[in-house]
Amino acid sequence: MEPGSTSAAGIQKAGGGREIAVKNVSKVFTTDETRTEALRDISLTIREGEFVSIVGPSGCGKSTLLRLIAGLMPVTSGSIEIGGKTVTQPITDVGIVFQKPVLLEWRNALENVLIQPELRGLDPRAYEQRARDLLAAVGLSGFEGAYPRQLSGGMQQRASIARALVHDPSLLLMDEPLGALDALTREQVRVDLEELWLSTGKTVLFITHSIDEAVLLSDRVVIMSPRPGLIDRIIDIDLPRPRGLEGRKASAFKEAEEAITRIFLERGVLKRGQPFAAIHRPGA
Amino acid sequence: MEVSQAQAQSPAASSRPHVKRAGAGARFVAMLKRRQLVLLTLFILLAAWEIAPRALNIPDYLLPPPSQVLTAFLGQWQRTLAATWITTTVMLGGYLIAIVVSIPLALLIVSSRVVEDTVEPIMLVFQVIPKIAIAPLFIVWFGFGYTPKTMLVFLLAFFPITLSAVAGFRAVDPDIMDLARSTGASRWSMFRKIKLPQALPQIFTGLKVGVALASTGAVVAEFIASDRGLGYLLLEWRGELDTPMVFAGVFVISFVGIVVYYAVEAIERITIPWHASQRDPAAMGA
């Protein structure tokens, strides 16, 4: 729909100074008894304005990687730089969306979006119109005064996306944001998310379990494998934008999806034909 | 889930206040209607209690009928209420000190690993000590008067309030705290805007448990270490085998407990209406 937005490599903004560089990062969690290697030697560069997805099974450390990039926990070794600056504390030019909406139940949808400027010490009144516009953009116009318990799971998640955007961050970190939604809502929010990205040119790091979602949304898909979490392969998705609901028809979509499925089959993350016939039946 | 979906269809409903305003009289009638089974049960119990001692020839000093209790109370109401006032001040004093100490302590426990590792295990051990058993020590240390009594009330109310506040502060979703950290917010504004409101429902649960313990503490303290107050009078009446007055005293102190309990609940409804209306579907107009 938008001219100039059909480049498969995503929007190239001038400068490109806010590149995210993950360099040989490892993360080990230790308690008194255990030592868990969550990530081993991760290196990844995310260009400014790029939409990058990470797919991988549970326990591959993809959420950990997102938290490391956000500066919410320290790396064990290696380094993460954003725009040339090493991340040592929580970064603030960022919007985060988690799998759960984590709205504040005592605030209505509008107030939940406005918590973001409030916590930043900004005047919430100055952001009210923007918050209303964003709620409308995510399909929640008329629900500004509704409390979280009065909203469905999908609506709550949309409000949390508006909350992540209200301060106009240049980076969006999304940790399985569609994971808890029903299939139809999920499809709609995915399409809306692509629209949003195309019109704003933010850098997005998107974590998902869904191969389908990763391929449809991303410029590049990072495939991770578990225990310890490491990057298995990075696949470029060469599909025109916007991909919308039609993206699945393209042969490039099917090829990419099959390629990723094949990798998961090779790694034993996916298995063909589980041997249920061999399960013992008492008395049979 | 279906309920929330249905409500989500009518956004206008959400901007309406949750509790419909009605006249005090109409609300009282509605309350009576809702509680009619309870009231009926109470009435039957009272009637049975009134009849049983006469029918079974139970002497007054064992089980006086309610009419006797009322008559006895009316005969000594001034003295009883004066004593009740003393007991109430002891109860409220200890209770308020418990609140003022508990909530900052709970916050310290959840925000400092050192305090958590040192204070919390000790607290859990102390919690097991029957506080009433150490009340005689308080007389040794603090003599008679307000101090030992208030201390006992404080000790009884302190544990449930602290533990529930700790649980409340801990129940805050780590994801929302991560989100707050990504805003660069100060610890104070994270506390004020997220942690405290999130913990308030559980804090109030502890406060309500604390009320019952506080009135118990006040009466027991007066049993042990006082020459005044309702606890003291209860012992005196028992000594005189004035059982109707013992019953009257128990009713009066229970009444005080109920009043304080509902006062705390009223504050809860004002402070966290979003929680009260969630717990009580009737208040949402559903």
Side-chain angles (χ1 to χ4, degrees):
Chain A
M1 49 174 286
E2 262 138 81
S5 64
T6 48
S7 152
I11 296 165
Q12 292 293 322
K13 278 211 282 195
R18 294 270 309 167
E19 188 175 85
I20 300 170
V22 179
K23 294 175 184 165
N24 309 102
V25 162
S26 298
K27 179 68 185 177
V28 178
F29 292 105
T30 45
T31 65
D32 292 344
E33 296 93 30
T34 61
R35 183 180 177 284
T36 314
E37 192 177 9
L39 292 172
R40 179 186 289 175
D41 198 26
I42 301 283
S43 289
L44 172 69
T45 304
I46 301 170
R47 292 185 290 272
E48 182 169 20
E50 195 176 20
F51 198 123
V52 172
S53 289
I54 302 180
V55 278
S58 302
C60 73
K62 48 196 194 305
S63 291
T64 303
L65 181 56
L66 180 135
R67 271 157 214 273
L68 292 175
I69 291 173
L72 293 168
M73 50 168 96
V75 297
T76 306
S77 66
S79 73
I80 294 172
E81 288 171 17
I82 297 180
K85 263 188 68 191
T86 305
V87 174
T88 52
Q89 56 180 27
I91 58 172
T92 55
D93 183 15
V94 66
I96 307 180
V97 182
F98 297 101
Q99 182 171 6
K100 290 173 295 174
V102 287
L103 300 179
L104 304 173
E105 54 176 323
W106 59 93
R107 286 172 165 249
N108 64 29
L110 181 67
E111 291 163 345
N112 259 294
V113 175
L114 289 174
I115 185 79
Q116 182 83 255
E118 276 181 42
L119 286 172
R120 288 168 186 271
L122 303 166
D123 180 8
R125 276 167 303 175
Y127 282 82
E128 186 177 328
Q129 192 52 50
R130 184 175 160 78
R132 287 181 185 280
D133 292 348
L134 278 168
L135 282 172
V138 296
L140 285 179
S141 63
F143 290 92
E144 295 84 357
Y147 285 85
R149 64 173 177 277
Q150 298 167 313
L151 298 172
S152 68
M155 295 168 114
Q156 290 188 29
Q157 190 61 299
R158 286 156 184 268
S160 87
I161 292 173
R163 179 182 60 192
L165 294 168
V166 68
H167 52 301
D168 201 20
S170 58
L171 172 63
L172 210 49
L173 297 176
M174 309 185 96
D175 191 357
E176 295 182 43
L178 313 183
L181 306 183
D182 66 90
L184 274 176
T185 310
R186 197 173 173 144
E187 187 76 352
Q188 186 61 56
V189 178
R190 178 183 62 74
V191 172
D192 294 348
L193 190 60
E194 189 191 23
E195 288 274 332
L196 174 108
W197 175 74
L198 285 171
S199 59
T200 58
K202 294 186 191 307
T203 310
V204 182
L205 179 62
F206 185 90
I207 286 173
T208 179
H209 276 124
S210 159
I211 299 171
D212 173 82
E213 237 161 56
V215 173
L216 279 172
L217 281 166
S218 315
D219 298 326
R220 285 190 297 157
V221 177
V222 177
I223 297 157
M224 290 184 68
S225 50
R227 280 174 287 273
L230 37 82
I231 292 180
D232 200 307
R233 201 168 314 173
I234 299 178
I235 293 186
D236 288 312
I237 308 297
D238 205 6
L239 269 169
R241 302 264 188 189
R243 296 166 184 171
L245 291 164
E246 309 293 310
R248 287 190 190 86
K249 290 178 183 162
S251 58
F253 168 81
K254 287 177 191 125
E255 281 161 25
E257 197 182 31
E258 272 165 27
I260 297 170
T261 307
R262 212 175 310 122
I263 293 167
F264 283 144
L265 277 168
E266 282 166 17
R267 302 291 178 270
V269 172
L270 288 171
K271 296 187 186 82
R272 286 183 218 276
Q274 294 282 356
F276 285 109
I279 293 172
H280 177 70
R281 276 178 298 175
Chain B
M1 213 54 216
E2 289 108 86
V3 175
S4 68
Q5 288 278 15
Q7 275 157 351
Q9 300 310 318
S10 59
S14 59
S15 54
R16 232 167 38 200
H18 297 307
V19 186
K20 275 189 199 154
R21 299 262 167 247
R27 260 187 294 170
F28 185 68
V29 172
M31 196 270 289
L32 284 186
K33 270 190 181 160
R34 244 192 349 265
R35 304 276 158 85
Q36 55 188 339
L37 267 180
V38 180
L39 291 172
L40 187 68
T41 313
L42 267 180
F43 180 78
I44 291 172
L45 280 175
L46 272 177
W49 179 12
E50 183 69 43
I51 296 162
R54 300 169 203 275
L56 302 173
N57 249 335
I58 300 170
D60 277 356
Y61 68 86
L62 283 182
L63 183 66
S67 58
Q68 276 267 315
V69 173
L70 185 66
T71 320
F73 171 70
L74 290 177
Q76 297 191 45
W77 68 272
Q78 278 167 315
R79 193 174 167 228
T80 310
L81 291 191
T84 306
W85 173 247
I86 293 168
T87 310
T88 307
T89 54
V90 169
M91 171 188 169
L92 288 181
Y95 184 60
L96 291 178
I97 297 172
I99 295 173
V100 171
V101 172
S102 293
I103 292 172
L105 180 67
L107 199 62
L108 266 179
I109 289 174
V110 294
S111 44
S112 153
R113 177 58 59 83
V114 178
V115 179
E116 182 184 344
D117 288 349
T118 50
V119 175
E120 207 187 7
I122 296 172
M123 266 194 58
L124 291 174
V125 172
F126 269 92
Q127 201 211 353
V128 188
I129 298 176
K131 264 70 67 179
I132 290 167
I134 51 176
L137 266 182
F138 288 168
I139 308 173
V140 176
W141 291 338
F142 307 110
F144 286 72
Y146 272 108
T147 316
K149 293 189 281 183
T150 315
M151 282 291 290
L152 185 63
V153 174
F154 162 76
L155 260 194
L156 280 170
F158 165 78
F159 288 97
I161 299 175
T162 308
L163 294 178
S164 65
V166 167
F169 288 130
R170 282 213 180 115
V172 176
D173 195 305
D175 281 354
I176 190 70
M177 291 317 288
D178 276 349
L179 193 123
R181 287 170 63 210
S182 81
T183 65
S186 65
R187 292 187 93 181
W188 166 243
S189 76
M190 285 195 251
F191 169 73
R192 197 165 53 91
K193 288 182 185 295
I194 296 173
K195 272 198 160 172
L196 182 65
Q198 195 87 269
L200 275 177
Q202 268 172 288
I203 292 176
F204 271 106
T205 305
L207 290 181
K208 287 191 272 188
V209 173
V211 171
L213 289 169
S215 68
T216 307
V219 172
V220 169
E222 287 171 348
F223 279 171
I224 300 166
S226 192
D227 50 4
R228 69 197 73 190
L230 208 53
Y232 171 77
L233 277 188
L234 281 173
L235 285 190
E236 188 186 297
W237 289 325
R238 189 211 53 186
E240 295 162 357
L241 279 184
D242 191 351
T243 312
M245 275 318 290
V246 174
F247 270 96
V250 170
F251 274 116
V252 170
I253 190 66
S254 307
F255 184 73
V256 171
I258 290 171
V259 169
V260 178
Y261 180 90
Y262 277 105
V264 173
E265 200 173 77
I267 296 171
E268 179 186 20
R269 277 174 187 276
I270 293 164
T271 324
I272 48 173
W274 46 274
H275 185 256
S277 57
Q278 185 184 43
R279 192 185 46 206
D280 179 7
M284 277 186 73

